[in-house]
Amino acid sequence: MISIVIIEYHSLDDINKCIVNIKQRCTRMEYEIIVSSNSCYPKEKQNEIVRALPDIRWCFNEKNGGFGYGMNQGLMIAKGEYMIVMNPDVRIMGGISILVDFLKSHKKVGAISPQIIGHDGQIQDSCRKFLTPWRFFVRQLYRKFKGEELVMNENFDYSKIQTVDWVPGAFIMMKREVFEYVGGFDDNYFLYFEDVDLCTRIWKAGYQVVYHPKLQIEYEGSRSARKSKKYAKIFMQSQLRYWKKNGY
């Protein structure tokens, strides 16, 4: 069985659309959908939500502890042998069985992620190298002088299945045994870098992280750290925490 855990923070409209999309794409497999809500809704609102979507497992968290915290709460009650973490504004473009089959046949792969395309159909930065201070500096110069929002690796073949350093938390499929072995997300990151940290620990545990472009998802991402001083500060705090924990 596959457990699909979706994070929710005042995004019930996106949740509804996401659930419809999942049901359309998972017609021939056993799965469960868990929504982990960081919205801290009052009890009356929680009951209303459950009545509206009774076939979904809801996890109403006591606080907004951030992305990693919310995901861990949902993953802890998951029953599946394979687990997916995803954002509510992700739309799956094909059958996810292709990723399950790959994990089944590749014992050393601990996590896998699809190709991400934007609303315009263009490939997004679906995977990246670990961000060292030097790479961060070069990336900022690239954005400043080229004026481009996305920093794509021009030498990377986005049509090829391959191992990569890390994949974004917008959509990651993991084997349960790997998730449990590495201890899930580090919920000391409120936002940003919890996915990088997770992939780092998966690699350190002797497993691989794979980018698989044969499945596509549509996801734009808000890139709020580039538009808001508040989120830029959180991004930098998480980045420094990652470097302090895992090395520069």
Side-chain angles (χ1 to χ4, degrees), residues 17-40:
K17 294 175 183 176
C18 186
I19 290 170
V20 170
N21 172 251
I22 291 170
K23 290 179 176 179
Q24 290 172 342
R25 299 300 182 182
C26 299
T27 55
R28 297 183 180 179
M29 61 182 66
E30 185 183 4
Y31 68 93
E32 64 175 354
I33 300 174
I34 300 169
V35 178
S36 180
S37 174
N38 280 344
S39 301
C40 301

CSV table of all heavy atoms in Angstrom, one decimal, residues 17-40:
chain,number,residue,atom,x,y,z
A,17,LYS,N,-8.7,19.9,-4.6
A,17,LYS,CA,-8.2,19.7,-6.0
A,17,LYS,C,-7.2,18.6,-6.0
A,17,LYS,O,-7.1,17.8,-6.9
A,17,LYS,CB,-7.7,21.0,-6.5
A,17,LYS,CG,-8.7,22.1,-6.7
A,17,LYS,CD,-8.1,23.4,-7.2
A,17,LYS,CE,-9.1,24.5,-7.3
A,17,LYS,NZ,-8.5,25.8,-7.7
A,18,CYS,N,-6.3,18.6,-5.0
A,18,CYS,CA,-5.2,17.6,-4.9
A,18,CYS,C,-5.8,16.2,-4.8
A,18,CYS,O,-5.3,15.3,-5.4
A,18,CYS,CB,-4.3,18.0,-3.8
A,18,CYS,SG,-2.8,16.9,-3.7
A,19,ILE,N,-6.8,16.1,-3.9
A,19,ILE,CA,-7.4,14.8,-3.7
A,19,ILE,C,-8.1,14.2,-4.9
A,19,ILE,O,-7.9,13.1,-5.2
A,19,ILE,CB,-8.4,14.9,-2.5
A,19,ILE,CG1,-7.6,15.1,-1.2
A,19,ILE,CG2,-9.3,13.6,-2.4
A,19,ILE,CD1,-8.5,15.4,0.0
A,20,VAL,N,-8.8,15.1,-5.6
A,20,VAL,CA,-9.4,14.7,-6.9
A,20,VAL,C,-8.4,14.2,-7.9
A,20,VAL,O,-8.5,13.1,-8.5
A,20,VAL,CB,-10.2,15.9,-7.5
A,20,VAL,CG1,-10.6,15.5,-8.9
A,20,VAL,CG2,-11.4,16.2,-6.7
A,21,ASN,N,-7.2,14.9,-7.9
A,21,ASN,CA,-6.1,14.5,-8.8
A,21,ASN,C,-5.6,13.2,-8.5
A,21,ASN,O,-5.3,12.3,-9.3
A,21,ASN,CB,-5.1,15.6,-8.8
A,21,ASN,CG,-3.8,15.2,-9.6
A,21,ASN,OD1,-2.8,14.9,-8.9
A,21,ASN,ND2,-3.9,15.2,-10.9
A,22,ILE,N,-5.3,12.9,-7.2
A,22,ILE,CA,-4.8,11.7,-6.7
A,22,ILE,C,-5.7,10.5,-7.0
A,22,ILE,O,-5.3,9.5,-7.5
A,22,ILE,CB,-4.5,11.7,-5.2
A,22,ILE,CG1,-3.4,12.7,-4.8
A,22,ILE,CG2,-4.2,10.3,-4.6
A,22,ILE,CD1,-3.2,13.0,-3.4
A,23,LYS,N,-7.0,10.7,-6.8
A,23,LYS,CA,-8.0,9.6,-7.1
A,23,LYS,C,-8.0,9.3,-8.6
A,23,LYS,O,-8.2,8.2,-9.0
A,23,LYS,CB,-9.3,10.0,-6.6
A,23,LYS,CG,-9.4,10.0,-5.1
A,23,LYS,CD,-10.8,10.5,-4.6
A,23,LYS,CE,-10.9,10.4,-3.1
A,23,LYS,NZ,-12.2,10.8,-2.6
A,24,GLN,N,-7.8,10.3,-9.4
A,24,GLN,CA,-7.7,10.1,-10.9
A,24,GLN,C,-6.5,9.3,-11.3
A,24,GLN,O,-6.5,8.5,-12.3
A,24,GLN,CB,-7.8,11.4,-11.6
A,24,GLN,CG,-9.1,12.1,-11.5
A,24,GLN,CD,-9.0,13.5,-12.1
A,24,GLN,OE1,-7.9,14.1,-12.3
A,24,GLN,NE2,-10.2,14.1,-12.4
A,25,ARG,N,-5.4,9.4,-10.6
A,25,ARG,CA,-4.1,8.9,-10.9
A,25,ARG,C,-3.8,7.6,-10.2
A,25,ARG,O,-2.8,6.9,-10.6
A,25,ARG,CB,-3.0,9.9,-10.7
A,25,ARG,CG,-3.1,11.2,-11.5
A,25,ARG,CD,-3.1,10.9,-12.9
A,25,ARG,NE,-3.1,12.2,-13.7
A,25,ARG,CZ,-3.2,12.2,-15.0
A,25,ARG,NH1,-3.2,11.1,-15.7
A,25,ARG,NH2,-3.2,13.4,-15.7
A,26,CYS,N,-4.5,7.2,-9.2
A,26,CYS,CA,-4.3,6.0,-8.4
A,26,CYS,C,-5.4,5.0,-8.5
A,26,CYS,O,-5.9,4.5,-7.5
A,26,CYS,CB,-4.0,6.4,-7.0
A,26,CYS,SG,-2.5,7.5,-6.8
A,27,THR,N,-5.9,4.7,-9.7
A,27,THR,CA,-7.1,3.9,-9.9
A,27,THR,C,-6.8,2.4,-9.7
A,27,THR,O,-7.7,1.6,-9.5
A,27,THR,CB,-7.7,4.1,-11.2
A,27,THR,OG1,-6.7,3.9,-12.3
A,27,THR,CG2,-8.2,5.6,-11.3
A,28,ARG,N,-5.5,1.9,-9.9
A,28,ARG,CA,-5.2,0.5,-9.9
A,28,ARG,C,-4.2,0.1,-8.8
A,28,ARG,O,-3.5,-0.8,-8.9
A,28,ARG,CB,-4.6,0.1,-11.2
A,28,ARG,CG,-5.6,0.3,-12.4
A,28,ARG,CD,-5.0,-0.2,-13.7
A,28,ARG,NE,-5.9,0.0,-14.8
A,28,ARG,CZ,-5.7,-0.3,-16.0
A,28,ARG,NH1,-4.5,-0.8,-16.4
A,28,ARG,NH2,-6.6,-0.1,-17.0
A,29,MET,N,-4.3,0.8,-7.6
A,29,MET,CA,-3.4,0.5,-6.5
A,29,MET,C,-4.1,0.8,-5.2
A,29,MET,O,-5.0,1.6,-5.1
A,29,MET,CB,-2.1,1.2,-6.7
A,29,MET,CG,-2.2,2.7,-6.6
A,29,MET,SD,-0.6,3.5,-6.8
A,29,MET,CE,-0.2,3.0,-8.5
A,30,GLU,N,-3.6,0.1,-4.2
A,30,GLU,CA,-4.2,0.4,-2.8
A,30,GLU,C,-3.4,1.6,-2.2
A,30,GLU,O,-2.2,1.6,-2.2
A,30,GLU,CB,-4.0,-0.8,-2.0
A,30,GLU,CG,-4.6,-0.7,-0.6
A,30,GLU,CD,-4.4,-1.9,0.3
A,30,GLU,OE1,-3.6,-2.8,-0.1
A,30,GLU,OE2,-4.9,-1.9,1.4
A,31,TYR,N,-4.1,2.5,-1.8
A,31,TYR,CA,-3.5,3.7,-1.2
A,31,TYR,C,-4.4,4.3,-0.1
A,31,TYR,O,-5.6,4.1,0.0
A,31,TYR,CB,-3.2,4.8,-2.3
A,31,TYR,CG,-4.4,5.4,-2.9
A,31,TYR,CD1,-4.9,6.6,-2.4
A,31,TYR,CD2,-5.1,4.8,-4.0
A,31,TYR,CE1,-6.1,7.2,-3.0
A,31,TYR,CE2,-6.3,5.3,-4.5
A,31,TYR,CZ,-6.7,6.5,-4.0
A,31,TYR,OH,-7.9,7.1,-4.5
A,32,GLU,N,-3.8,5.2,0.7
A,32,GLU,CA,-4.5,6.0,1.6
A,32,GLU,C,-4.0,7.4,1.5
A,32,GLU,O,-2.8,7.7,1.1
A,32,GLU,CB,-4.3,5.5,3.1
A,32,GLU,CG,-2.8,5.6,3.5
A,32,GLU,CD,-2.6,5.2,5.0
A,32,GLU,OE1,-3.7,5.0,5.7
A,32,GLU,OE2,-1.5,5.2,5.4
A,33,ILE,N,-4.9,8.4,1.8
A,33,ILE,CA,-4.5,9.8,1.7
A,33,ILE,C,-4.6,10.3,3.2
A,33,ILE,O,-5.6,10.2,3.8
A,33,ILE,CB,-5.4,10.6,0.8
A,33,ILE,CG1,-5.4,10.1,-0.6
A,33,ILE,CG2,-5.1,12.1,0.9
A,33,ILE,CD1,-6.4,10.8,-1.6
A,34,ILE,N,-3.5,10.9,3.6
A,34,ILE,CA,-3.5,11.5,4.9
A,34,ILE,C,-3.2,13.0,4.8
A,34,ILE,O,-2.2,13.4,4.1
A,34,ILE,CB,-2.3,10.9,5.8
A,34,ILE,CG1,-2.6,9.4,6.0
A,34,ILE,CG2,-2.3,11.6,7.2
A,34,ILE,CD1,-1.4,8.7,6.6
A,35,VAL,N,-4.0,13.8,5.3
A,35,VAL,CA,-3.8,15.3,5.3
A,35,VAL,C,-3.4,15.7,6.7
A,35,VAL,O,-4.1,15.5,7.7
A,35,VAL,CB,-5.1,16.1,4.9
A,35,VAL,CG1,-4.8,17.6,5.0
A,35,VAL,CG2,-5.5,15.6,3.5
A,36,SER,N,-2.2,16.2,6.8
A,36,SER,CA,-1.6,16.7,8.1
A,36,SER,C,-1.8,18.2,8.1
A,36,SER,O,-1.1,19.0,7.3
A,36,SER,CB,-0.1,16.3,8.2
A,36,SER,OG,0.4,16.8,9.4
A,37,SER,N,-2.6,18.7,9.0
A,37,SER,CA,-3.0,20.1,9.0
A,37,SER,C,-2.3,20.9,10.1
A,37,SER,O,-2.3,20.5,11.3
A,37,SER,CB,-4.5,20.3,9.2
A,37,SER,OG,-4.8,21.7,9.3
A,38,ASN,N,-1.6,21.9,9.7
A,38,ASN,CA,-0.9,22.8,10.6
A,38,ASN,C,-1.7,24.1,10.9
A,38,ASN,O,-1.2,25.1,11.5
A,38,ASN,CB,0.5,23.3,10.1
A,38,ASN,CG,1.5,22.2,10.3
A,38,ASN,OD1,1.4,21.3,11.1
A,38,ASN,ND2,2.7,22.3,9.7
A,39,SER,N,-3.0,24.1,10.5
A,39,SER,CA,-3.8,25.3,10.5
A,39,SER,C,-4.4,25.6,11.9
A,39,SER,O,-4.9,26.7,12.1
A,39,SER,CB,-4.9,25.2,9.5
A,39,SER,OG,-4.4,25.0,8.2
A,40,CYS,N,-4.4,24.7,12.8
A,40,CYS,CA,-4.9,24.9,14.1
A,40,CYS,C,-6.3,25.3,14.1
A,40,CYS,O,-6.7,26.3,14.8
A,40,CYS,CB,-4.0,25.9,14.9
A,40,CYS,SG,-2.3,25.4,15.1
